[in-house]
Amino acid sequence: MQLQSVAVKRASGAFALIDSLKRHGVKHIFGYPGGAILPIYDELYRAEAAGGIHHILVRHEQGAAHAADGYARATGEVGVCFATSGPGATNLVTGIATAHMDSIPLVVVTGQVARAAIGSDAFQETDIWGITLPIVKHSYVVRDPRDMARITAEAFYIASSGRPGPVLIDVPKDVALEEFDYVPVDPSSVKLAGYRPTVRGNPRQVVQALKLIRESRQPLLYIGGGAIAAGAHREVRELAERFQIPVTTTLMGKGSFEETHPLALGMLGMHGTAYANFAVTECDLLIAVGARFDDRVTGKLDEFASRAKVIHIDIDPAEVGKNRAPQVPIVGDVRQVLTDLLQRSTEDGDSRYSTQTQAWLERINRWREDYPLVVPQYPGSLAPQEVIVELSRQAPAAYYTTDVGQHQMWSAQFLKNGPRRWISSAGLGTMGFGLPAAMGAKVALPDEQVICISGDASFQMNLQELATLAQYGINVKTVILNNGWQGMVRQWQEAFYGERYSSSNMEVGMPDFVKLADAFGIKGMVIHSREELQDAIAEMLAHNGPVLVEARVKRDENCYPMVAPGKSNAQMIGLPERDKLGKAAELIYCNSCGAKNISTNNFCPECGTKL
């Protein structure tokens, strides 16, 4: 593994770490110094002076982890963050868990007390290796500086190969200081016994999957974050177009399929489109690509695609069959599996554009017409959806990050994103993610527009990172949809807790966001009305520097459609009025709730009863 042609150099463990990071192409590190990691920062100081690597000083270690996460999601490369021992390391935990849940490649370096002090409850000692075991893909404590280069190379390989994820390297202070005969390690030379992710799918399973696709008349492609990680966007599109299969995506899969394409159904699940949820309920074949059958997608699991055969393609064998047993399981890199499937289809002479799903697509299009996503307009108040639609109109190609809550779901519904241009905490649902993630994305891609959409509650979780934007002039635009509430909490309290709004109102103590921005030396703006919206967004985008915009939106707007907890995806509440329904030639009435239904419905969309 070692590069024997390179001259041996007397160097410290800290030098070996920084040099190894540079050899892995690391250009940006997000972090915050402290006592145990000072030897590493001292070496970083020299490396920055020499050029080629740059450290971004965040204002809280959680911000470092989220920034590295945003960097990785925007680029597909491994994000890197630093923190010291004890509280510095524990402040990274939420960011590590966020990356772990969403399969994002990070290398996380923490300082640690000296080897002799480990286990003695020394000042700022915490067993970060043990604390993070459930939320990392792998972790190391470096006991010998001679292992530093090897461990770093292994960490990058593990983080980025197979199903990506975070890897922790914990470095005792004396290991960073100790000198030894340093020989670099070639990043391409890593070979780990027992760790060989399966890349090629089983050929017999690929053939069986193709057989089911050909036989299906109501197929549905269900695309998750694995398609983003694998860069399988072209393959997904080719498969969809060849067999004319409609496509729905998860929150993590958003952007994996062109969202303006006629076959695109948008997001499915709890706040998905009605037509995506009806399609998954009625399909006869569900092709899951890099998706994990998450509870926010499936609703009541035993009624999720209950009539469908399932093909499940995923690189992680632990995910295949975990929540839903497939008829055809295929373990492998989803891009490679889809490439093999398409190649087999070409060899077998499948026509370029199949017509076998024509009736199915016509049926879905009727659902689109009857149950569209609606942008409301209220007299005297600005709807949050209006803000998102205006952002999408003026900045259609931007990289968008979000925090978590109603604004996240509205953004998922109304933004039309390209690959990697949607950056949001899906699995963990981390408030405070949006601003530092946007910071990381903008550092990685300085020539791209990066916009953070946040809520007034989420934004206050990590607002201190405005200082980082100010220090480095990171040109991130942040739009706060301010309704004075923890919006999604309020919506659930209204719907399921008898309108008992316990600790969800944020008005008392809320800062003046314009003054807050000004305090950090950042341009602040406020939008009060619909009439101001277009010009304000244009002004924000034109400004050469970070901007914080507060949009004061309707206070009690709810996010619909919504699948209530414990209900099937067909049992959505808050569907729009269907003017065409009363004019339909053939109507049937639900025996359970009496709602009108078009004759092609098999389930009542109001109550979910089988018709």
Side-chain angles (χ1 to χ4, degrees):
M1 180 181 286
Q2 292 182 334
L3 296 172
Q4 298 298 337
S5 60
V6 177
V8 174
K9 175 180 178 178
R10 196 72 180 168
S12 68
F15 177 89
L17 172 66
I18 300 300
D19 184 65
S20 296
L21 293 178
K22 290 171 66 176
R23 290 175 185 275
H24 282 82
V26 174
K27 295 180 176 61
H28 296 96
I29 298 167
F30 302 90
Y32 200 100
I37 202 171
L38 280 182
I40 293 172
Y41 268 86
D42 191 48
E43 199 59 59
L44 178 60
Y45 179 86
R46 297 184 179 93
E48 281 196 283
I53 196 166
H54 185 45
H55 178 266
I56 305 295
L57 173 64
V58 298
R59 274 24 182 202
H60 190 286
E61 291 88 352
Q62 184 179 343
H66 291 330
D69 184 318
Y71 189 102
R73 294 189 202 225
T75 62
E77 300 171 2
V78 178
V80 180
C81 59
F82 283 3
T84 195
S85 64
T90 57
N91 281 344
L92 292 172
V93 168
T94 298
I96 296 170
T98 300
H100 175 70
M101 286 287 282
D102 290 349
S103 303
I104 306 302
L106 299 185
V107 168
V108 180
V109 178
T110 53
Q112 185 55 276
V113 300
R115 285 169 289 187
I118 292 176
S120 69
D121 291 333
F123 177 67
Q124 290 193 334
E125 180 195 357
T126 299
D127 179 13
I128 195 63
W129 184 88
I131 288 170
T132 58
L133 272 180
I135 55 169
V136 294
K137 189 174 178 184
H138 196 64
S139 53
Y140 296 90
V141 178
V142 185
R143 302 283 182 174
D144 188 327
R146 288 170 291 188
D147 294 330
M148 185 72 79
R150 172 187 61 80
I151 285 173
T152 304
E154 289 179 3
F156 274 81
Y157 176 66
I158 293 169
S160 59
S161 61
R163 180 178 183 174
V167 177
L168 175 79
I169 304 176
D170 195 35
V171 184
K173 187 173 184 178
D174 59 328
V175 170
L177 289 167
E178 185 176 324
E179 292 192 346
F180 68 107
D181 291 335
Y182 170 57
V183 178
V185 168
D186 182 353
S188 66
S189 67
V190 176
K191 293 180 180 178
L192 296 174
Y195 177 69
R196 289 182 176 83
T198 301
V199 175
R200 300 294 293 267
N202 184 299
R204 287 174 296 181
Q205 298 299 88
V206 171
V207 170
Q208 183 62 24
L210 191 55
K211 179 175 182 292
L212 289 184
I213 292 171
R214 289 174 178 145
E215 293 172 351
S216 171
R217 292 298 176 266
Q218 296 186 173
L220 181 66
L221 274 160
Y222 155 46
I223 311 298
I228 300 285
H233 320 103
R234 291 181 182 177
E235 290 74 17
V236 169
R237 177 171 179 153
E238 186 173 346
L239 178 62
E241 290 183 341
R242 178 169 299 186
F243 292 99
Q244 288 296 287
I245 304 173
V247 180
T248 184
T249 63
T250 67
L251 190 65
M252 279 295 298
K254 188 173 168 61
S256 59
F257 186 73
E258 185 181 342
E259 297 196 81
T260 57
H261 195 287
L263 293 171
L265 304 186
M267 183 178 71
L268 81 166
M270 180 171 282
H271 291 286
T273 65
Y275 34 94
N277 282 336
F278 288 153
V280 79
T281 302
E282 298 289 325
C283 68
D284 63 13
L285 176 66
L286 187 67
I287 308 164
V289 179
R292 58 189 181 90
F293 292 82
D294 169 71
D295 62 293
R296 288 296 173 103
V297 164
T298 64
K300 191 175 182 181
L301 183 59
D302 59 3
E303 294 184 20
F304 180 73
S306 58
R307 304 177 184 186
K309 294 180 180 178
V310 174
I311 300 167
H312 193 175
I313 305 169
D314 203 288
I315 198 162
D316 185 355
E319 288 295 346
V320 179
K322 183 177 77 174
N323 293 324
R324 173 70 181 269
Q327 277 67 37
V328 180
I330 305 178
V331 175
D333 176 85
V334 297
R335 183 179 183 183
Q336 185 62 60
V337 171
L338 293 180
T339 298
D340 291 345
L341 190 151
L342 290 164
Q343 179 63 34
R344 171 75 64 165
S345 171
T346 301
E347 292 171 357
D348 291 351
D350 287 321
S351 62
R352 179 66 177 167
Y353 295 105
S354 170
T355 60
Q356 69 190 41
T357 64
Q358 183 174 347
W360 173 231
L361 295 176
E362 289 174 356
R363 188 175 174 199
I364 289 173
N365 285 334
R366 287 196 294 271
W367 286 331
R368 286 186 202 266
E369 293 174 1
D370 289 335
Y371 308 101
L373 288 173
V374 174
V375 180
Q377 287 195 353
Y378 301 104
S381 61
L382 179 64
Q385 299 95 320
E386 293 180 86
V387 181
I388 292 165
V389 169
E390 185 62 27
L391 282 168
S392 183
R393 188 185 71 81
Q394 294 198 36
Y399 284 73
Y400 284 91
T401 72
T402 77
D403 275 293
V404 172
Q406 288 177 316
H407 68 274
Q408 178 189 34
M409 295 296 101
W410 284 316
S411 298
Q413 290 174 342
F414 291 102
L415 291 176
K416 307 298 182 186
N417 300 94
R420 294 198 176 276
R421 292 173 188 263
W422 169 258
I423 298 171
S424 190
S425 171
L428 197 64
T430 305
M431 294 173 70
F433 173 82
L435 178 60
M439 188 166 69
K442 186 64 177 179
V443 167
L445 303 167
D447 296 329
E448 298 285 349
Q449 281 186 330
V450 178
I451 300 172
C452 169
I453 300 176
S454 190
D456 52 282
S458 283
F459 181 77
Q460 293 182 70
M461 291 278 188
N462 272 317
L463 62 81
Q464 75 284 339
E465 297 311 324
L466 289 174
T468 309
L469 298 185
Q471 177 179 349
Y472 297 98
I474 302 171
N475 191 1
V476 165
K477 316 300 187 187
T478 302
V479 178
I480 300 172
L481 301 183
N482 185 359
N483 60 10
W485 293 90
Q486 299 161 28
M488 191 63 81
V489 173
R490 184 205 58 76
Q491 180 172 336
W492 278 58
Q493 288 172 333
E494 175 187 312
F496 309 119
Y497 293 91
E499 300 185 13
R500 294 181 292 277
Y501 301 116
S502 175
S503 301
S504 54
N505 188 278
M506 300 295 290
E507 287 180 299
V508 177
M510 181 181 293
D512 181 321
F513 289 109
V514 174
K515 289 182 178 178
L516 180 70
D518 184 61
F520 284 101
I522 289 173
K523 180 179 177 65
M525 301 169 59
V526 62
I527 301 171
H528 297 93
S529 66
R530 183 176 302 112
E531 291 71 27
E532 300 173 345
L533 178 60
Q534 181 176 333
D535 289 345
I537 296 300
E539 182 182 345
M540 175 192 80
L541 295 174
H543 182 72
N544 184 24
V547 181
L548 179 64
V549 174
E550 175 194 2
R552 296 183 181 172
V553 298
K554 189 172 185 291
R555 290 175 44 77
D556 57 353
E557 180 70 359
N558 286 335
C559 185
Y560 293 125
M562 180 180 183
V563 178
K567 302 295 184 181
S568 76
N569 281 19
Q571 295 173 281
M572 288 167 282
I573 58 176
L575 290 178
E577 294 294 328
R578 302 176 303 283
D579 295 335
K580 295 183 181 180
L581 188 58
K583 302 174 185 177
E586 294 182 54
L587 295 176
I588 55 178
Y589 293 84
C590 175
N591 292 329
S592 177
C593 71
K596 294 178 182 179
N597 281 264
I598 54 177
S599 57
T600 53
N601 283 1
N602 289 326
F603 289 84
C604 173
E606 294 295 332
C607 68
T609 300
K610 189 177 185 306
L611 299 172

Short mmCIF file of all heavy atoms in Angstrom, two decimals, residues 542-574:
data_model
loop_
_atom_site.label_atom_id
_atom_site.label_comp_id
_atom_site.label_asym_id
_atom_site.label_seq_id
_atom_site.Cartn_x
_atom_site.Cartn_y
_atom_site.Cartn_z
N ALA A 542 -29.67 39.56 -7.30
CA ALA A 542 -28.72 40.46 -7.96
C ALA A 542 -27.61 40.93 -7.02
O ALA A 542 -26.54 41.36 -7.48
CB ALA A 542 -29.46 41.66 -8.53
N HIS A 543 -27.85 40.85 -5.71
CA HIS A 543 -26.86 41.37 -4.76
C HIS A 543 -25.61 40.51 -4.74
O HIS A 543 -25.68 39.27 -4.66
CB HIS A 543 -27.48 41.42 -3.36
CG HIS A 543 -26.55 41.98 -2.32
ND1 HIS A 543 -26.21 43.32 -2.25
CD2 HIS A 543 -25.85 41.36 -1.32
CE1 HIS A 543 -25.38 43.50 -1.25
NE2 HIS A 543 -25.15 42.34 -0.67
N ASN A 544 -24.46 41.14 -4.78
CA ASN A 544 -23.19 40.43 -4.78
C ASN A 544 -22.71 40.21 -3.35
O ASN A 544 -21.87 40.94 -2.82
CB ASN A 544 -22.13 41.22 -5.57
CG ASN A 544 -20.82 40.46 -5.67
OD1 ASN A 544 -20.80 39.23 -5.57
ND2 ASN A 544 -19.73 41.19 -5.87
N GLY A 545 -23.27 39.20 -2.73
CA GLY A 545 -22.93 38.87 -1.35
C GLY A 545 -24.08 38.14 -0.69
O GLY A 545 -25.17 38.01 -1.26
N PRO A 546 -23.86 37.65 0.53
CA PRO A 546 -24.93 36.94 1.22
C PRO A 546 -26.10 37.87 1.55
O PRO A 546 -25.91 39.05 1.82
CB PRO A 546 -24.25 36.42 2.50
CG PRO A 546 -23.05 37.28 2.68
CD PRO A 546 -22.61 37.69 1.32
N VAL A 547 -27.30 37.30 1.49
CA VAL A 547 -28.52 38.06 1.77
C VAL A 547 -29.43 37.21 2.65
O VAL A 547 -29.54 35.99 2.45
CB VAL A 547 -29.27 38.44 0.48
CG1 VAL A 547 -30.52 39.27 0.81
CG2 VAL A 547 -28.37 39.21 -0.48
N LEU A 548 -30.07 37.85 3.60
CA LEU A 548 -31.09 37.19 4.43
C LEU A 548 -32.42 37.87 4.16
O LEU A 548 -32.57 39.08 4.40
CB LEU A 548 -30.73 37.30 5.91
CG LEU A 548 -31.72 36.68 6.90
CD1 LEU A 548 -31.82 35.18 6.71
CD2 LEU A 548 -31.32 37.01 8.34
N VAL A 549 -33.40 37.12 3.64
CA VAL A 549 -34.71 37.66 3.32
C VAL A 549 -35.74 37.01 4.23
O VAL A 549 -35.82 35.77 4.33
CB VAL A 549 -35.09 37.40 1.85
CG1 VAL A 549 -36.52 37.84 1.58
CG2 VAL A 549 -34.12 38.11 0.92
N GLU A 550 -36.53 37.82 4.90
CA GLU A 550 -37.64 37.33 5.71
C GLU A 550 -38.93 37.57 4.94
O GLU A 550 -39.26 38.71 4.60
CB GLU A 550 -37.69 38.08 7.04
CG GLU A 550 -38.89 37.73 7.90
CD GLU A 550 -39.11 38.71 9.04
OE1 GLU A 550 -38.34 39.69 9.15
OE2 GLU A 550 -40.05 38.50 9.82
N ALA A 551 -39.65 36.51 4.64
CA ALA A 551 -40.96 36.61 3.99
C ALA A 551 -42.03 36.34 5.03
O ALA A 551 -42.10 35.23 5.58
CB ALA A 551 -41.07 35.62 2.83
N ARG A 552 -42.83 37.33 5.33
CA ARG A 552 -43.88 37.17 6.34
C ARG A 552 -45.12 36.57 5.67
O ARG A 552 -45.84 37.25 4.94
CB ARG A 552 -44.18 38.52 6.99
CG ARG A 552 -42.97 39.05 7.76
CD ARG A 552 -43.24 40.35 8.48
NE ARG A 552 -42.04 40.81 9.16
CZ ARG A 552 -41.92 42.00 9.75
NH1 ARG A 552 -42.96 42.83 9.77
NH2 ARG A 552 -40.80 42.35 10.34
N VAL A 553 -45.31 35.29 5.94
CA VAL A 553 -46.33 34.53 5.22
C VAL A 553 -47.53 34.23 6.11
O VAL A 553 -47.50 34.47 7.33
CB VAL A 553 -45.73 33.21 4.68
CG1 VAL A 553 -44.61 33.48 3.69
CG2 VAL A 553 -45.22 32.32 5.83
N LYS A 554 -48.58 33.71 5.50
CA LYS A 554 -49.81 33.38 6.20
C LYS A 554 -49.50 32.50 7.41
O LYS A 554 -48.84 31.47 7.28
CB LYS A 554 -50.78 32.68 5.26
CG LYS A 554 -52.18 32.48 5.81
CD LYS A 554 -53.11 31.94 4.72
CE LYS A 554 -54.55 31.86 5.23
NZ LYS A 554 -54.73 30.82 6.25
N ARG A 555 -50.04 32.88 8.54
CA ARG A 555 -49.63 32.24 9.79
C ARG A 555 -50.14 30.82 9.96
O ARG A 555 -49.46 29.98 10.56
CB ARG A 555 -50.14 33.08 10.98
CG ARG A 555 -49.42 34.41 11.14
CD ARG A 555 -50.03 35.26 12.24
NE ARG A 555 -50.32 34.47 13.45
CZ ARG A 555 -49.42 34.07 14.34
NH1 ARG A 555 -48.15 34.39 14.16
NH2 ARG A 555 -49.77 33.39 15.40
N ASP A 556 -51.33 30.51 9.44
CA ASP A 556 -51.92 29.21 9.73
C ASP A 556 -52.06 28.34 8.49
O ASP A 556 -52.91 27.44 8.44
CB ASP A 556 -53.29 29.39 10.39
CG ASP A 556 -54.25 30.21 9.53
OD1 ASP A 556 -53.82 30.75 8.49
OD2 ASP A 556 -55.44 30.30 9.90
N GLU A 557 -51.23 28.57 7.49
CA GLU A 557 -51.28 27.74 6.30
C GLU A 557 -50.77 26.34 6.60
O GLU A 557 -49.74 26.16 7.27
CB GLU A 557 -50.44 28.36 5.18
CG GLU A 557 -50.41 27.58 3.89
CD GLU A 557 -51.73 27.60 3.14
OE1 GLU A 557 -52.72 28.21 3.63
OE2 GLU A 557 -51.79 27.01 2.05
N ASN A 558 -51.48 25.32 6.13
CA ASN A 558 -51.09 23.93 6.33
C ASN A 558 -50.54 23.33 5.05
O ASN A 558 -50.85 23.80 3.95
CB ASN A 558 -52.26 23.10 6.84
CG ASN A 558 -52.59 23.39 8.29
OD1 ASN A 558 -51.72 23.82 9.06
ND2 ASN A 558 -53.83 23.18 8.69
N CYS A 559 -49.75 22.29 5.20
CA CYS A 559 -49.11 21.63 4.07
C CYS A 559 -49.93 20.41 3.67
O CYS A 559 -50.04 19.44 4.43
CB CYS A 559 -47.69 21.21 4.46
SG CYS A 559 -46.76 20.52 3.08
N TYR A 560 -50.51 20.48 2.48
CA TYR A 560 -51.33 19.40 1.95
C TYR A 560 -50.87 19.08 0.53
O TYR A 560 -50.26 19.90 -0.12
CB TYR A 560 -52.81 19.82 1.94
CG TYR A 560 -53.43 20.00 3.29
CD1 TYR A 560 -54.04 21.20 3.64
CD2 TYR A 560 -53.40 18.98 4.24
CE1 TYR A 560 -54.63 21.38 4.88
CE2 TYR A 560 -53.97 19.15 5.50
CZ TYR A 560 -54.59 20.36 5.81
OH TYR A 560 -55.15 20.53 7.05
N PRO A 561 -51.19 17.88 0.02
CA PRO A 561 -51.90 16.79 0.69
C PRO A 561 -51.09 16.23 1.85
O PRO A 561 -49.88 16.44 1.95
CB PRO A 561 -52.05 15.74 -0.41
CG PRO A 561 -51.70 16.39 -1.69
CD PRO A 561 -50.81 17.53 -1.35
N MET A 562 -51.76 15.43 2.68
CA MET A 562 -51.10 14.81 3.82
C MET A 562 -51.69 13.44 4.08
O MET A 562 -52.92 13.28 4.08
CB MET A 562 -51.26 15.69 5.06
CG MET A 562 -50.59 15.12 6.31
SD MET A 562 -50.83 16.20 7.74
CE MET A 562 -49.87 15.30 8.97
N VAL A 563 -50.80 12.48 4.26
CA VAL A 563 -51.22 11.15 4.69
C VAL A 563 -51.08 11.11 6.20
O VAL A 563 -49.98 11.26 6.74
CB VAL A 563 -50.36 10.05 4.04
CG1 VAL A 563 -50.77 8.67 4.55
CG2 VAL A 563 -50.45 10.11 2.53
N ALA A 564 -52.19 10.93 6.90
CA ALA A 564 -52.17 10.91 8.35
C ALA A 564 -51.44 9.67 8.86
O ALA A 564 -51.38 8.64 8.18
CB ALA A 564 -53.59 10.95 8.90
N PRO A 565 -50.86 9.73 10.06
CA PRO A 565 -50.16 8.57 10.61
C PRO A 565 -51.07 7.35 10.67
O PRO A 565 -52.24 7.45 11.05
CB PRO A 565 -49.78 9.04 12.02
CG PRO A 565 -49.77 10.52 11.95
CD PRO A 565 -50.82 10.91 10.95
N GLY A 566 -50.52 6.21 10.26
CA GLY A 566 -51.27 4.96 10.32
C GLY A 566 -52.22 4.74 9.17
O GLY A 566 -52.91 3.72 9.12
N LYS A 567 -52.28 5.67 8.22
CA LYS A 567 -53.17 5.54 7.08
C LYS A 567 -52.39 5.12 5.84
O LYS A 567 -51.17 5.26 5.76
CB LYS A 567 -53.89 6.87 6.80
CG LYS A 567 -54.71 7.39 7.98
CD LYS A 567 -55.87 6.46 8.32
CE LYS A 567 -56.73 7.04 9.43
NZ LYS A 567 -57.86 6.15 9.80
N SER A 568 -53.11 4.62 4.86
CA SER A 568 -52.48 4.25 3.60
C SER A 568 -52.27 5.50 2.74
O SER A 568 -52.87 6.55 2.99
CB SER A 568 -53.34 3.25 2.84
OG SER A 568 -54.44 3.90 2.24
N ASN A 569 -51.44 5.36 1.72
CA ASN A 569 -51.17 6.51 0.85
C ASN A 569 -52.39 6.98 0.08
O ASN A 569 -52.43 8.12 -0.39
CB ASN A 569 -50.04 6.17 -0.13
CG ASN A 569 -48.67 6.27 0.52
OD1 ASN A 569 -48.55 6.25 1.73
ND2 ASN A 569 -47.64 6.37 -0.29
N ALA A 570 -53.39 6.12 -0.05
CA ALA A 570 -54.62 6.53 -0.74
C ALA A 570 -55.52 7.38 0.14
O ALA A 570 -56.47 7.98 -0.33
CB ALA A 570 -55.39 5.30 -1.21
N GLN A 571 -55.21 7.44 1.44
CA GLN A 571 -56.06 8.15 2.39
C GLN A 571 -55.49 9.53 2.72
O GLN A 571 -55.15 9.82 3.85
CB GLN A 571 -56.23 7.32 3.67
CG GLN A 571 -56.97 6.01 3.44
CD GLN A 571 -56.97 5.13 4.68
OE1 GLN A 571 -55.98 4.47 4.96
NE2 GLN A 571 -58.06 5.13 5.41
N MET A 572 -55.41 10.37 1.71
CA MET A 572 -54.87 11.71 1.89
C MET A 572 -55.95 12.68 2.37
O MET A 572 -57.11 12.56 1.98
CB MET A 572 -54.26 12.21 0.59
CG MET A 572 -52.95 11.53 0.20
SD MET A 572 -52.49 11.87 -1.52
CE MET A 572 -53.59 10.74 -2.37
N ILE A 573 -55.54 13.62 3.18
CA ILE A 573 -56.42 14.70 3.58
C ILE A 573 -55.92 15.99 2.93
O ILE A 573 -54.76 16.12 2.57
CB ILE A 573 -56.49 14.86 5.12
CG1 ILE A 573 -55.10 15.13 5.71
CG2 ILE A 573 -57.11 13.62 5.75
CD1 ILE A 573 -55.11 15.39 7.21
N GLY A 574 -56.87 16.95 2.77
CA GLY A 574 -56.50 18.25 2.22
C GLY A 574 -56.33 18.27 0.73
O GLY A 574 -55.63 19.14 0.19
#
